[in-house]
Amino acid sequence: MVKKLIEQNRSCRRYDPSRALSKEEFRGLVELARLSPCAANRQTLRYALADGQRADIVFDSIMWAGYLEDGAPKEGERPASYILLLHDKNLGAADLVSVGIAIQSMLLGAVEMGYKGCIFGSIDRKRLKTALGLAENLEIVNVIAIGKPAENIVIEDIRLGDSIKYYRTADRTHHVPKIVTSDLIVEL
Ligand SMILES: Cc1cc2nc3c(=O)[nH]c(=O)nc-3n(C[C@H](O)[C@H](O)[C@H](O)COP(=O)(O)O)c2cc1C
């Protein structure tokens, strides 16, 4: 079960723009993050849903698919919803392991709901924080696009040393190279 969810949890960059995440679905995903482990149980992360016009603001502040020539989704294939992963800097430094766990919990929940997502680390954080009018103490850590996928995504097994760059083919398929298990295990 977990393997299937993880296999389906691929980074998606073309969406059905008419399918926004509902407030209830958003709350359900935050609930999964809330229940996830975090360093010293500090719980410094906060979550915001950006949809409608705010989704356009987010779109203009993130960088899509660095390995592709033209990786950003065209009008008509952009996600209608994003979740902003925020850290309350009044509570100390952000712990990135905790951030990763919270994001993965939400993404697996999104897959279970029939969605796919994409994590963004390449963000114009200053611009986005100002444009959204976020409180001073809230730092943008990551952005996650979430929506109904409008592309096929397949895993391609590769060997250590092969190209790790994802690529697209004309049949609207996004190919994600993943190094085979045997090449990842270090024998002691
Ligand atoms: C921490 C982190 C930051 C990422 N930042 C971006 C980003 O800024 N833009 C983007 O298009 N994809 C981003 N991605 C998605 C990766 O490109 C994607 O995970 C990778 O290509 C493997 O594909 P997969 O998620 O389907 O396994 C990010 C992923 C992670 C985990």
Side-chain angles (χ1 to χ4, degrees):
M1 290 299 273
V2 176
K3 188 179 179 207
K4 204 156 199 80
L5 278 181
I6 291 176
E7 275 172 354
Q8 289 171 359
N9 178 33
R10 303 270 60 85
S11 294
C12 176
R13 298 183 180 83
R14 286 176 284 193
Y15 295 89
D16 172 354
S18 69
R19 286 289 298 276
L21 203 63
S22 71
K23 299 273 182 279
E24 291 69 35
E25 287 169 328
F26 167 64
R27 283 187 69 91
L29 297 181
V30 174
E31 177 77 359
L32 299 179
R34 175 180 94 87
L35 298 174
S36 298
C38 62
N41 203 26
R42 282 168 52 223
Q43 303 174 66
T44 69
L45 298 177
R46 305 291 178 264
Y47 308 88
L49 178 65
D51 53 13
Q53 285 184 344
R54 291 195 181 93
D56 297 333
I57 295 174
V58 174
F59 179 81
D60 289 336
S61 305
I62 55 180
M63 213 196 91
W64 293 80
Y67 290 144
L68 302 181
E69 278 279 301
D70 198 12
K74 311 264 173 291
E75 202 135 5
E77 32 181 56
R78 294 178 186 164
S81 310
Y82 296 88
I83 295 176
L84 308 184
L85 241 290
L86 307 170
H87 163 73
D88 184 346
K89 65 181 180 189
N90 289 345
L91 301 174
D95 174 71
L96 293 184
V97 173
S98 306
V99 170
I101 294 170
I103 292 176
Q104 182 75 347
S105 294
M106 289 195 291
L107 284 174
L108 294 180
V111 169
E112 203 175 50
M113 292 172 180
Y115 295 124
K116 284 199 196 304
C118 186
I119 304 169
F120 290 85
S122 298
I123 308 163
D124 186 340
R125 290 179 172 79
K126 206 170 154 196
R127 177 184 195 277
L128 186 55
K129 182 170 176 169
T130 307
L132 294 175
L134 284 174
E136 171 50 28
N137 60 308
L138 295 178
E139 277 175 356
I140 299 169
V141 187
N142 288 103
V143 165
I144 313 167
I146 303 227
K148 200 85 191 154
E151 66 179 358
N152 306 317
I153 308 173
V154 295
I155 293 171
E156 304 292 351
D157 284 352
I158 56 166
R159 301 301 308 262
L160 207 59
D162 292 345
S163 171
I164 43 78
K165 291 184 180 175
Y166 48 76
Y167 57 94
R168 279 178 182 171
T169 44
D171 55 353
R172 286 188 80 77
T173 301
H174 178 89
H175 301 256
V176 192
K178 294 286 186 189
I179 299 166
V180 293
T181 309
S182 55
D183 284 0
L184 298 175
I185 293 173
V186 176
E187 299 292 348
L188 298 178

